[in-house]
Amino acid sequence: MAFGMYFLAIVFYLFVRLVFFHSSSSGMLHILDYFVSSFVLFVALVSSIGRMNREFSNHLLLGTFLMLLIGVSSVFRMVPLPGGMTLTFVIPLMTGYVLGMSCGFWVGSICIVVGSFFVGGVGPWMIYQSLFMGLIGAGAGMFELERRGSFYLLLVYATLGSFCFGFLMNFWFYFGLQPLQSGFPMENIQRYVQFYLASSLLWDGLRALGNVVFLFFFLPIAELLASYKGMLKTSTVME
């Protein structure tokens, strides 16, 4: 529920920014963009810690698992693939699917920050990437591993999430274009949709295809995480 609110909050902000402040070249608006996205990211990370503390008892093992998953996901980001395909989505999706929304958000958001230092992707767009990848990982927690057919729902979600990620990420590039034309609200929305279709639709389609294939290929990761999930919920006390 909380992650849904974070998602709606950032989408609402981007919508208002697009419709009413689309043509402004004020540097203060760009600073506001970073402040709002950074604030939502910070609040989501902090709230995730509280949720993980309540859901899991073995905090040391959980922390070790999360650092390992973040490391693997960061390395996956370095693997060169054609078009928009990337392995970056696999671990956050699997983490959220097996360990829940909070873990999925942490792995998704932090792996972007860590991986950016390896691929030279550090820049003002990194906050957007971190927030949206975290939300993608958190959303995978809607599908419980134990439910029959949940993996196929995850595949559908991964496909839609690929397009959603690209659609939201493009706001950063779109707001940076100068000069921007002003217009009525619907005209501004129409221009952005046209911009997305022309610049990212094919790229995101290849990413969606890759996510489906990679999730099938790396399904054993989910099974491995599931085998350790019980241990994460049981604290061991040394006597």
Side-chain angles (χ1 to χ4, degrees), residues 42-180:
F42 175 77
V43 171
L45 285 171
V46 172
S47 65
S48 296
I49 296 176
R51 289 171 61 94
M52 286 188 290
N53 284 334
R54 293 191 298 269
E55 294 173 3
F56 300 97
S57 301
N58 198 330
H59 300 146
L60 178 60
L61 184 59
L62 175 64
T64 303
F65 258 84
L66 293 183
M67 287 189 290
L68 177 62
L69 292 169
I70 290 169
V72 172
S73 187
S74 300
V75 173
F76 274 8
R77 194 178 178 196
M78 300 169 60
V79 178
L81 293 171
M85 293 184 180
T86 176
L87 289 170
T88 310
F89 285 73
V90 173
I91 300 299
L93 286 169
M94 289 295 188
T95 304
Y97 178 54
V98 178
L99 300 181
M101 291 186 172
S102 297
C103 294
F105 185 86
W106 258 85
V107 171
S109 59
I110 303 301
C111 79
I112 290 295
V113 177
V114 176
S116 294
F117 288 95
F118 291 104
V119 300
V122 178
W125 56 84
M126 188 175 67
I127 296 297
Y128 277 68
Q129 286 181 319
S130 180
L131 175 59
F132 297 143
M133 184 61 73
L135 290 173
I136 291 292
M142 294 185 297
F143 314 102
E144 297 181 5
L145 178 64
E146 295 79 9
R147 289 187 178 180
R148 185 177 181 180
S150 62
F151 181 71
Y152 297 102
L153 292 176
L154 178 67
L155 295 178
V156 175
Y157 170 78
T159 302
L160 298 177
S162 301
F163 290 100
C164 183
F165 181 85
F167 187 83
L168 294 176
M169 271 303 302
N170 265 22
F171 277 101
W172 184 89
F173 300 102
Y174 190 67
F175 291 153
L177 294 176
Q178 298 295 337
L180 292 174

Side-chain angles (χ1 to χ4, degrees), residues 94 98 145 218-228:
M94 289 295 188
V98 178
L145 178 64
F218 289 102
L219 181 59
I221 294 180
E223 297 172 350
L224 178 63
L225 287 174
S227 66
Y228 285 96

Side-chain angles (χ1 to χ4, degrees), residues 15 18-19 22 167 171 174 181 183-198:
F15 176 79
L18 174 67
V19 171
H22 159 263
F167 187 83
F171 277 101
Y174 190 67
Q181 297 177 342
F184 293 105
M186 289 305 300
E187 292 178 351
N188 292 337
I189 295 174
Q190 182 179 3
R191 289 194 188 102
Y192 179 74
V193 172
Q194 292 172 344
F195 172 78
Y196 170 75
L197 293 177

Side-chain angles (χ1 to χ4, degrees), residues 199-219:
S199 62
S200 295
L201 182 63
L202 178 59
W203 189 270
D204 293 340
L206 291 172
R207 178 190 295 141
L209 175 62
N211 282 346
V212 171
V213 173
F214 299 144
L215 284 174
F216 266 113
F217 186 79
F218 289 102
L219 181 59

